[in-house]
Amino acid sequence: MRRVRYYEYGGPDVLTIEEAEVPAPGPGEVLLRTEAIGANFVDTRMRRGPAAGPLFRRPLPGRLTGDVVGTVEAAGPGVDRELIGIGVSPART
């Protein structure tokens, strides 16, 4: 799978796309086949780091926290398996 991270604070140019292993869903979690992710205003502030103020300070590496659209591909323990195959968007969560 691919993920977006940043290892230093700054503008959009610090965002990197990297390969990562597909995680297994844990208890109470689902695995989504992601179709789109959204970077929101808070993401842009956190990406700036300390310059954005103490409220937005997060440790590195940073990752996007915005909306995700996709389809449930797997369910961890304690999750209704009937969710597999269901489309998920911010409006449905």
Side-chain angles (χ1 to χ4, degrees):
M1 73 174 218
R2 293 184 298 170
R3 65 182 175 198
V4 178
R5 285 206 167 168
Y6 53 94
Y7 293 89
E8 61 184 295
Y9 299 117
D13 56 310
V14 302
L15 296 174
T16 61
I17 298 174
E18 57 189 31
E19 293 295 322
E21 291 188 31
V22 176
E29 298 177 337
V30 295
L31 176 67
L32 294 180
R33 175 169 296 280
T34 304
E35 297 171 26
I37 60 172
N40 58 39
F41 175 73
V42 172
D43 287 318
T44 65
R45 299 290 293 218
M46 288 191 298
R47 189 190 66 232
R48 286 193 223 157
L55 178 64
F56 297 102
R57 177 170 277 163
R58 298 291 188 273
L60 293 173
R63 59 189 170 90
L64 300 178
T65 63
D67 299 325
V68 177
V69 176
T71 303
V72 176
E73 193 165 85
V79 177
D80 186 348
R81 299 199 53 80
E82 289 187 29
L83 292 174
I84 296 172
I86 301 288
V88 177
S89 69
R92 293 191 71 177
T93 57

